[in-house]
Amino acid sequence: MKMKKSLGKLFLYLVLGLAAFATIYPFLWMVSASFKPLKEIVGGNMSLISENMSLDNYKYIFGRSSLFPKWFLNSFLVASIGTAVNVFINTMAGYSLSRLTFPGRDKIYHGLLLMLMVPSQVLLIPNYLILQKMGLLDSYASLILPAAANIGNIFLMRQFFMNFPKEVEEAASIDGLGRYARFFRICMPLAKPTIATQAIFVFMGFWNEFTKPMLYIKTASKYTLTLGLQSFQTQNAGTMWHQVMAAACISVFPIIIIYLIFNKYFLVGVRMDGEK
């Protein structure tokens, strides 16, 4: 029996190791390729280390490609503001649907759940027409406003506040705190793990979005990084892979930083949701 268990664990670790390698290796190769000259990439060399590695690709991106830093800042601006707006609205909506009593609350909640079944792609054209009528096309507002709330994260926050101890709020109420003060001074600080969890996913969603910028943004200087990368690749006839890999590495860097910053909150939030 011990032998069978040992062989089973060995097989499991082998499968997991192969899966991890298949997942991590392309990322490591992308990072490695960003330091290599083009001839090594198109020559079929799949090794991660090369004698000709340099920073020339990154110098080109931030030097000769003048729009790339602008695209990076555009994406960071849209993702940061969009995440802040989302966290604020999603948290308040989740709190109101779990703690406040008002007519139609359950109907609104059930309506939101029904809207989860609607694919986001179906709303692209209606959103485009609405933004056109409002004169918001070719602006950052066209990327932020239609995505100012996320139903999935509203549901996440509602589930958190449903299990939040009412006694804490009651004690704060006895001390003289009003509804808004209790929310901002008691509930939101204690909801940091869940808020951090949704903030990571929202930021990633804004940062990696490609379809909406492609539809709504027309001016090259207003491109987000994903749209700029596509434009950069097209302008170079799709052959300058060493520079494309460098640009792709830069685009991934903020996501890694955000995850490292909120990692401990993210793990706590996932664990708490699982326990609930």
Side-chain angles (χ1 to χ4, degrees):
M1 290 296 295
K2 291 183 178 180
M3 181 65 69
K4 289 183 178 179
K5 288 183 179 180
S6 300
L7 291 176
K9 286 184 178 181
L10 180 62
F11 177 75
L12 177 62
Y13 291 148
L14 179 62
V15 172
L16 292 176
L18 291 174
F21 177 79
T23 303
I24 295 174
Y25 182 80
F27 175 77
L28 295 178
W29 186 87
M30 178 186 72
V31 175
S32 174
S34 68
F35 295 98
K36 295 179 179 180
L38 179 61
K39 62 180 181 179
E40 288 198 18
I41 297 175
V42 298
N45 183 7
M46 298 300 294
S47 64
L48 299 180
I49 305 298
S50 169
E51 296 180 355
N52 301 316
M53 299 177 77
S54 67
L55 295 174
D56 292 343
N57 299 329
Y58 291 93
K59 291 178 181 178
Y60 177 87
I61 290 295
F62 286 104
R64 299 180 185 178
S65 181
S66 58
L67 284 178
F68 191 86
K70 177 66 174 174
W71 295 335
F72 186 91
L73 291 176
N74 292 344
S75 283
F76 187 78
L77 178 67
V78 170
S80 299
I81 296 177
T83 300
V85 172
N86 255 266
V87 167
F88 183 72
I89 294 178
N90 296 339
T91 305
M92 291 195 72
Y95 179 83
S96 63
L97 291 173
S98 62
R99 289 304 178 87
L100 303 184
T101 302
F102 53 89
R105 184 189 71 173
D106 293 337
K107 292 182 179 179
I108 293 175
Y109 173 64
H110 294 146
L112 291 175
L113 291 182
L114 288 174
M115 289 178 66
L116 279 173
M117 304 177 189
V118 180
S120 59
Q121 293 80 1
V122 175
L123 303 177
L124 289 175
I125 301 304
N127 282 336
Y128 181 90
L129 296 176
I130 293 172
L131 292 169
Q132 186 181 46
K133 292 292 184 181
M134 297 175 65
L136 295 177
L137 289 179
D138 201 25
S139 68
Y140 302 139
S142 64
L143 304 178
I144 297 173
L145 291 181
N150 183 282
I151 299 175
N153 288 327
I154 291 175
F155 177 77
L156 176 70
M157 297 309 302
R158 178 185 179 275
Q159 294 305 109
F160 173 83
F161 287 120
M162 287 287 290
N163 294 277
F164 189 80
K166 293 182 179 180
E167 293 78 8
V168 176
E169 279 196 85
E170 291 173 355
S173 178
I174 293 174
D175 289 337
L177 293 181
R179 175 68 70 179
Y180 289 101
R182 294 200 300 270
F183 175 76
F184 287 107
R185 297 177 61 180
I186 303 297
C187 297
M188 281 198 73
L190 293 177
K192 281 182 180 179
T194 310
I195 291 176
T197 300
Q198 69 159 316
I200 291 174
F201 288 117
V202 171
F203 188 92
M204 289 176 61
F206 276 104
W207 187 266
N208 295 325
E209 183 64 61
F210 173 76
T211 306
K212 292 177 182 177
M214 182 180 64
L215 287 176
Y216 303 153
I217 305 297
K218 302 302 179 183
T219 305
S221 61
K222 296 181 180 179
Y223 283 176
T224 57
L225 190 55
T226 52
L227 189 58
L229 283 174
Q230 190 268 344
S231 174
F232 179 79
Q233 184 175 344
T234 303
Q235 291 173 2
N236 289 281
T239 59
M240 310 303 287
W241 290 111
H242 56 318
Q243 296 167 2
V244 172
M245 292 297 103
C249 288
I250 296 171
S251 70
V252 173
F253 183 73
I255 298 294
I256 297 175
I257 296 299
I258 291 294
Y259 179 77
L260 292 176
I261 292 174
F262 292 104
N263 181 44
K264 63 176 182 179
Y265 296 113
F266 174 76
L267 295 176
V268 171
V270 171
R271 185 169 65 249
M272 290 175 66
D273 293 336
E275 290 173 353
K276 289 180 178 57

